[in-house]
Short mmCIF file of all heavy atoms in Angstrom, two decimals:
data_model
loop_
_atom_site.label_atom_id
_atom_site.label_comp_id
_atom_site.label_asym_id
_atom_site.label_seq_id
_atom_site.Cartn_x
_atom_site.Cartn_y
_atom_site.Cartn_z
N VAL O 1 166.60 138.47 153.44
CA VAL O 1 168.04 138.43 153.17
C VAL O 1 168.83 138.28 154.47
O VAL O 1 169.81 137.52 154.53
CB VAL O 1 168.49 139.69 152.39
CG1 VAL O 1 170.00 139.81 152.36
CG2 VAL O 1 167.92 139.67 150.98
N LEU O 2 168.41 138.97 155.51
CA LEU O 2 169.16 138.95 156.78
C LEU O 2 168.67 137.91 157.78
O LEU O 2 169.17 137.84 158.90
CB LEU O 2 169.11 140.34 157.42
CG LEU O 2 169.75 141.47 156.61
CD1 LEU O 2 169.57 142.81 157.32
CD2 LEU O 2 171.21 141.18 156.33
N LEU O 3 167.73 137.08 157.35
CA LEU O 3 167.15 136.09 158.25
C LEU O 3 168.19 135.10 158.78
O LEU O 3 168.17 134.72 159.96
CB LEU O 3 166.03 135.33 157.55
CG LEU O 3 165.23 134.34 158.38
CD1 LEU O 3 164.58 135.04 159.57
CD2 LEU O 3 164.20 133.66 157.52
N SER O 4 169.14 134.72 157.96
CA SER O 4 170.16 133.75 158.40
C SER O 4 171.13 134.36 159.41
O SER O 4 171.75 133.64 160.19
CB SER O 4 170.92 133.20 157.19
OG SER O 4 171.57 134.24 156.52
N GLU O 5 171.26 135.68 159.41
CA GLU O 5 172.18 136.34 160.35
C GLU O 5 171.51 136.75 161.65
O GLU O 5 172.14 136.76 162.70
CB GLU O 5 172.79 137.58 159.68
CG GLU O 5 173.69 137.23 158.49
CD GLU O 5 174.24 138.48 157.83
OE1 GLU O 5 174.58 139.43 158.56
OE2 GLU O 5 174.33 138.49 156.59
N PHE O 6 170.25 137.15 161.56
CA PHE O 6 169.51 137.63 162.73
C PHE O 6 168.16 136.92 162.80
O PHE O 6 167.32 137.11 161.92
CB PHE O 6 169.27 139.14 162.65
CG PHE O 6 170.51 139.95 162.46
CD1 PHE O 6 170.83 140.47 161.21
CD2 PHE O 6 171.38 140.20 163.52
CE1 PHE O 6 171.97 141.22 161.02
CE2 PHE O 6 172.52 140.95 163.34
CZ PHE O 6 172.82 141.46 162.08
N ALA O 7 167.97 136.14 163.82
CA ALA O 7 166.72 135.38 163.95
C ALA O 7 165.50 136.29 164.08
O ALA O 7 164.41 135.94 163.62
CB ALA O 7 166.81 134.45 165.15
N TRP O 8 165.68 137.48 164.67
CA TRP O 8 164.55 138.38 164.87
C TRP O 8 164.04 139.00 163.56
O TRP O 8 163.00 139.65 163.55
CB TRP O 8 164.89 139.46 165.89
CG TRP O 8 166.13 140.26 165.57
CD1 TRP O 8 167.40 139.98 165.99
CD2 TRP O 8 166.20 141.45 164.78
NE1 TRP O 8 168.27 140.93 165.49
CE2 TRP O 8 167.55 141.85 164.76
CE3 TRP O 8 165.27 142.22 164.10
CZ2 TRP O 8 167.99 142.97 164.07
CZ3 TRP O 8 165.70 143.33 163.41
CH2 TRP O 8 167.05 143.71 163.40
N MET O 9 164.77 138.80 162.48
CA MET O 9 164.31 139.32 161.18
C MET O 9 163.03 138.63 160.72
O MET O 9 162.32 139.16 159.88
CB MET O 9 165.39 139.17 160.11
CG MET O 9 166.42 140.25 160.15
SD MET O 9 165.64 141.82 159.75
CE MET O 9 167.04 142.89 159.84
N SER O 10 162.74 137.46 161.28
CA SER O 10 161.47 136.81 160.94
C SER O 10 160.30 137.67 161.38
O SER O 10 159.27 137.73 160.69
CB SER O 10 161.39 135.42 161.56
OG SER O 10 161.41 135.52 162.97
N TYR O 11 160.46 138.38 162.50
CA TYR O 11 159.41 139.29 162.96
C TYR O 11 159.27 140.49 162.03
O TYR O 11 158.16 140.97 161.78
CB TYR O 11 159.67 139.75 164.39
CG TYR O 11 159.66 138.60 165.38
CD1 TYR O 11 160.83 138.19 166.00
CD2 TYR O 11 158.47 137.92 165.66
CE1 TYR O 11 160.83 137.13 166.89
CE2 TYR O 11 158.46 136.85 166.55
CZ TYR O 11 159.64 136.47 167.15
OH TYR O 11 159.63 135.42 168.03
N VAL O 12 160.38 140.98 161.52
CA VAL O 12 160.35 142.08 160.57
C VAL O 12 159.59 141.65 159.32
O VAL O 12 158.73 142.39 158.80
CB VAL O 12 161.79 142.55 160.20
CG1 VAL O 12 161.77 143.53 159.03
CG2 VAL O 12 162.48 143.16 161.40
N SER O 13 159.86 140.45 158.85
CA SER O 13 159.17 139.93 157.67
C SER O 13 157.67 139.78 157.93
O SER O 13 156.85 140.12 157.07
CB SER O 13 159.76 138.59 157.24
OG SER O 13 161.09 138.75 156.83
N MET O 14 157.32 139.26 159.11
CA MET O 14 155.90 139.09 159.42
C MET O 14 155.17 140.43 159.50
O MET O 14 154.07 140.58 158.95
CB MET O 14 155.73 138.33 160.74
CG MET O 14 155.96 136.84 160.61
SD MET O 14 155.44 135.89 162.06
CE MET O 14 156.15 136.77 163.41
N VAL O 15 155.77 141.40 160.16
CA VAL O 15 155.16 142.73 160.25
C VAL O 15 155.03 143.34 158.86
O VAL O 15 154.01 143.95 158.53
CB VAL O 15 155.96 143.64 161.21
CG1 VAL O 15 155.52 145.08 161.11
CG2 VAL O 15 155.85 143.13 162.64
N ALA O 16 156.06 143.16 158.04
CA ALA O 16 156.02 143.71 156.68
C ALA O 16 154.90 143.07 155.86
O ALA O 16 154.23 143.76 155.08
CB ALA O 16 157.37 143.50 156.00
N ILE O 17 154.68 141.79 156.04
CA ILE O 17 153.58 141.11 155.33
C ILE O 17 152.23 141.67 155.77
O ILE O 17 151.37 141.98 154.94
CB ILE O 17 153.63 139.58 155.55
CG1 ILE O 17 154.83 138.99 154.81
CG2 ILE O 17 152.34 138.91 155.09
CD1 ILE O 17 155.14 137.57 155.18
N PHE O 18 152.05 141.84 157.08
CA PHE O 18 150.79 142.40 157.58
C PHE O 18 150.58 143.82 157.06
O PHE O 18 149.48 144.18 156.65
CB PHE O 18 150.73 142.37 159.10
CG PHE O 18 150.60 140.98 159.67
CD1 PHE O 18 151.40 140.58 160.74
CD2 PHE O 18 149.68 140.09 159.16
CE1 PHE O 18 151.27 139.30 161.26
CE2 PHE O 18 149.54 138.81 159.68
CZ PHE O 18 150.35 138.41 160.74
N LEU O 19 151.65 144.62 157.09
CA LEU O 19 151.54 145.99 156.59
C LEU O 19 151.25 146.03 155.09
O LEU O 19 150.48 146.87 154.62
CB LEU O 19 152.81 146.78 156.91
CG LEU O 19 153.01 147.15 158.37
CD1 LEU O 19 154.37 147.80 158.58
CD2 LEU O 19 151.89 148.06 158.85
N PHE O 20 151.86 145.11 154.35
CA PHE O 20 151.62 145.03 152.91
C PHE O 20 150.12 144.80 152.65
O PHE O 20 149.51 145.50 151.83
CB PHE O 20 152.44 143.89 152.31
CG PHE O 20 152.43 143.82 150.82
CD1 PHE O 20 153.40 144.45 150.07
CD2 PHE O 20 151.44 143.11 150.14
CE1 PHE O 20 153.40 144.40 148.69
CE2 PHE O 20 151.42 143.04 148.76
CZ PHE O 20 152.41 143.69 148.03
N VAL O 21 149.54 143.88 153.37
CA VAL O 21 148.11 143.57 153.20
C VAL O 21 147.25 144.75 153.63
O VAL O 21 146.28 145.11 152.96
CB VAL O 21 147.73 142.28 153.97
CG1 VAL O 21 146.23 142.07 153.98
CG2 VAL O 21 148.44 141.08 153.38
N ILE O 22 147.60 145.39 154.73
CA ILE O 22 146.83 146.55 155.21
C ILE O 22 146.88 147.68 154.19
O ILE O 22 145.85 148.27 153.85
CB ILE O 22 147.36 147.02 156.59
CG1 ILE O 22 146.99 146.00 157.67
CG2 ILE O 22 146.83 148.41 156.93
CD1 ILE O 22 147.69 146.22 158.99
N PHE O 23 148.07 147.99 153.68
CA PHE O 23 148.18 149.06 152.68
C PHE O 23 147.45 148.70 151.39
O PHE O 23 146.87 149.58 150.76
CB PHE O 23 149.65 149.39 152.40
CG PHE O 23 150.26 150.29 153.43
CD1 PHE O 23 151.26 149.82 154.26
CD2 PHE O 23 149.84 151.60 153.57
CE1 PHE O 23 151.83 150.64 155.22
CE2 PHE O 23 150.40 152.43 154.53
CZ PHE O 23 151.40 151.95 155.34
N PHE O 24 147.45 147.43 151.02
CA PHE O 24 146.70 147.01 149.84
C PHE O 24 145.21 147.25 150.07
O PHE O 24 144.51 147.75 149.18
CB PHE O 24 146.96 145.53 149.52
CG PHE O 24 146.11 145.03 148.38
CD1 PHE O 24 146.48 145.29 147.08
CD2 PHE O 24 144.96 144.31 148.63
CE1 PHE O 24 145.69 144.83 146.02
CE2 PHE O 24 144.17 143.85 147.59
CZ PHE O 24 144.54 144.12 146.28
N GLU O 25 144.72 146.87 151.24
CA GLU O 25 143.28 147.00 151.53
C GLU O 25 142.85 148.46 151.68
O GLU O 25 141.68 148.77 151.50
CB GLU O 25 142.93 146.22 152.80
CG GLU O 25 143.02 144.73 152.63
CD GLU O 25 142.07 144.19 151.57
OE1 GLU O 25 140.98 144.75 151.41
OE2 GLU O 25 142.44 143.22 150.91
N VAL O 26 143.77 149.35 151.99
CA VAL O 26 143.45 150.77 152.12
C VAL O 26 143.49 151.47 150.76
O VAL O 26 142.70 152.37 150.51
CB VAL O 26 144.42 151.45 153.11
CG1 VAL O 26 144.33 152.95 153.04
CG2 VAL O 26 144.15 150.98 154.52
N GLY O 27 144.40 151.07 149.89
CA GLY O 27 144.57 151.79 148.63
C GLY O 27 144.33 150.98 147.38
O GLY O 27 143.23 151.02 146.81
N PRO O 28 145.33 150.26 146.91
CA PRO O 28 145.22 149.58 145.61
C PRO O 28 144.17 148.47 145.53
O PRO O 28 143.83 148.05 144.44
CB PRO O 28 146.62 149.00 145.41
CG PRO O 28 147.51 149.88 146.20
CD PRO O 28 146.70 150.26 147.41
N GLY O 29 143.64 148.02 146.63
CA GLY O 29 142.57 147.02 146.57
C GLY O 29 141.26 147.61 146.09
O GLY O 29 140.76 147.25 145.03
N PRO O 30 140.70 148.55 146.83
CA PRO O 30 139.39 149.09 146.44
C PRO O 30 139.41 150.32 145.53
O PRO O 30 138.49 150.52 144.75
CB PRO O 30 138.76 149.46 147.79
CG PRO O 30 139.93 149.79 148.65
CD PRO O 30 141.04 148.88 148.21
N ILE O 31 140.42 151.16 145.62
CA ILE O 31 140.41 152.45 144.93
C ILE O 31 140.27 152.32 143.41
O ILE O 31 139.53 153.09 142.80
CB ILE O 31 141.64 153.29 145.31
CG1 ILE O 31 141.68 153.57 146.81
CG2 ILE O 31 141.68 154.60 144.52
CD1 ILE O 31 140.52 154.36 147.34
N PRO O 32 140.96 151.40 142.75
CA PRO O 32 140.79 151.31 141.29
C PRO O 32 139.34 151.11 140.88
O PRO O 32 138.93 151.60 139.82
CB PRO O 32 141.65 150.12 140.88
CG PRO O 32 142.73 150.10 141.91
CD PRO O 32 142.05 150.50 143.19
N TRP O 33 138.54 150.44 141.69
CA TRP O 33 137.13 150.24 141.34
C TRP O 33 136.38 151.56 141.38
O TRP O 33 135.51 151.82 140.55
CB TRP O 33 136.50 149.20 142.25
CG TRP O 33 137.17 147.88 142.13
CD1 TRP O 33 138.00 147.30 143.04
CD2 TRP O 33 137.12 146.99 141.02
NE1 TRP O 33 138.46 146.10 142.56
CE2 TRP O 33 137.93 145.88 141.32
CE3 TRP O 33 136.47 147.03 139.79
CZ2 TRP O 33 138.10 144.83 140.44
CZ3 TRP O 33 136.65 145.96 138.92
CH2 TRP O 33 137.45 144.88 139.25
N PHE O 34 136.71 152.42 142.35
CA PHE O 34 136.10 153.75 142.41
C PHE O 34 136.50 154.56 141.17
O PHE O 34 135.68 155.18 140.54
CB PHE O 34 136.59 154.53 143.65
CG PHE O 34 135.98 154.10 144.94
CD1 PHE O 34 136.64 153.23 145.78
CD2 PHE O 34 134.75 154.60 145.34
CE1 PHE O 34 136.09 152.85 146.99
CE2 PHE O 34 134.20 154.24 146.55
CZ PHE O 34 134.86 153.36 147.37
N ILE O 35 137.80 154.56 140.89
CA ILE O 35 138.33 155.41 139.83
C ILE O 35 137.79 154.97 138.47
O ILE O 35 137.39 155.80 137.66
CB ILE O 35 139.88 155.42 139.86
CG1 ILE O 35 140.35 156.16 141.12
CG2 ILE O 35 140.44 156.11 138.61
CD1 ILE O 35 141.85 156.15 141.33
N VAL O 36 137.79 153.67 138.19
CA VAL O 36 137.28 153.19 136.90
C VAL O 36 135.82 153.59 136.73
O VAL O 36 135.42 154.06 135.65
CB VAL O 36 137.44 151.66 136.77
CG1 VAL O 36 136.69 151.12 135.56
CG2 VAL O 36 138.91 151.30 136.65
N ALA O 37 135.04 153.48 137.78
CA ALA O 37 133.62 153.84 137.69
C ALA O 37 133.45 155.34 137.46
O ALA O 37 132.47 155.76 136.84
CB ALA O 37 132.90 153.41 138.96
N GLU O 38 134.38 156.15 137.93
CA GLU O 38 134.24 157.60 137.80
C GLU O 38 134.90 158.16 136.54
O GLU O 38 134.62 159.28 136.15
CB GLU O 38 134.83 158.27 139.04
CG GLU O 38 134.02 157.97 140.28
CD GLU O 38 134.67 158.45 141.56
OE1 GLU O 38 135.89 158.76 141.54
OE2 GLU O 38 133.98 158.50 142.59
N LEU O 39 135.79 157.40 135.91
CA LEU O 39 136.49 157.90 134.73
C LEU O 39 135.68 157.76 133.45
O LEU O 39 135.98 158.43 132.46
CB LEU O 39 137.82 157.16 134.53
CG LEU O 39 138.96 157.54 135.47
CD1 LEU O 39 140.20 156.74 135.13
CD2 LEU O 39 139.24 159.02 135.45
N PHE O 40 134.67 156.90 133.46
CA PHE O 40 133.92 156.63 132.24
C PHE O 40 132.47 157.09 132.39
O PHE O 40 131.88 156.96 133.46
CB PHE O 40 133.97 155.14 131.89
CG PHE O 40 135.35 154.68 131.54
CD1 PHE O 40 136.20 154.17 132.50
CD2 PHE O 40 135.81 154.78 130.23
CE1 PHE O 40 137.48 153.76 132.17
CE2 PHE O 40 137.08 154.38 129.90
CZ PHE O 40 137.91 153.87 130.87
N SER O 41 131.92 157.57 131.29
CA SER O 41 130.51 157.98 131.30
C SER O 41 129.62 156.73 131.33
O SER O 41 130.11 155.60 131.20
CB SER O 41 130.19 158.84 130.08
OG SER O 41 130.37 158.09 128.89
N GLN O 42 128.34 156.94 131.45
CA GLN O 42 127.40 155.84 131.63
C GLN O 42 127.46 154.79 130.52
O GLN O 42 127.37 153.61 130.79
CB GLN O 42 125.98 156.41 131.74
CG GLN O 42 124.96 155.41 132.24
CD GLN O 42 125.25 154.92 133.64
OE1 GLN O 42 125.79 155.62 134.47
NE2 GLN O 42 124.90 153.67 133.92
N GLY O 43 127.65 155.21 129.28
CA GLY O 43 127.65 154.26 128.16
C GLY O 43 128.77 153.24 128.22
O GLY O 43 128.53 152.03 128.26
N PRO O 44 130.05 153.68 128.24
CA PRO O 44 131.16 152.71 128.24
C PRO O 44 131.55 152.18 129.62
O PRO O 44 132.41 151.32 129.72
CB PRO O 44 132.31 153.50 127.63
CG PRO O 44 132.02 154.92 127.94
CD PRO O 44 130.51 155.03 127.95
N ARG O 45 130.90 152.66 130.68
CA ARG O 45 131.29 152.25 132.04
C ARG O 45 131.22 150.74 132.26
O ARG O 45 132.17 150.16 132.80
CB ARG O 45 130.43 152.99 133.07
CG ARG O 45 130.91 152.73 134.50
CD ARG O 45 130.15 153.57 135.49
NE ARG O 45 130.40 154.97 135.24
CZ ARG O 45 129.52 155.94 135.48
NH1 ARG O 45 128.34 155.65 135.97
NH2 ARG O 45 129.82 157.19 135.22
#
């Protein structure tokens, strides 16, 4: 939103993209696979 007013906001966007990917890889990327495997017994797993 502020990119047209402040050129340095492109760096904010780039850092935010990298952080988004890092946080995904730490939490919502792999964790659901752990949780799904642990929530169900051997039969329906």
Side-chain angles (χ1 to χ4, degrees):
V1 168
L2 298 177
L3 185 59
S4 61
E5 295 179 38
F6 305 103
W8 54 269
M9 278 295 181
S10 63
Y11 297 111
V12 170
S13 296
M14 282 192 312
V15 169
I17 289 168
F18 290 134
L19 288 174
F20 188 93
V21 171
I22 289 168
F23 280 113
F24 175 80
E25 291 299 326
V26 167
I31 300 298
W33 299 107
F34 284 98
I35 292 175
V36 169
E38 293 171 345
L39 285 181
F40 294 92
S41 63
Q42 193 62 32
R45 187 174 297 149

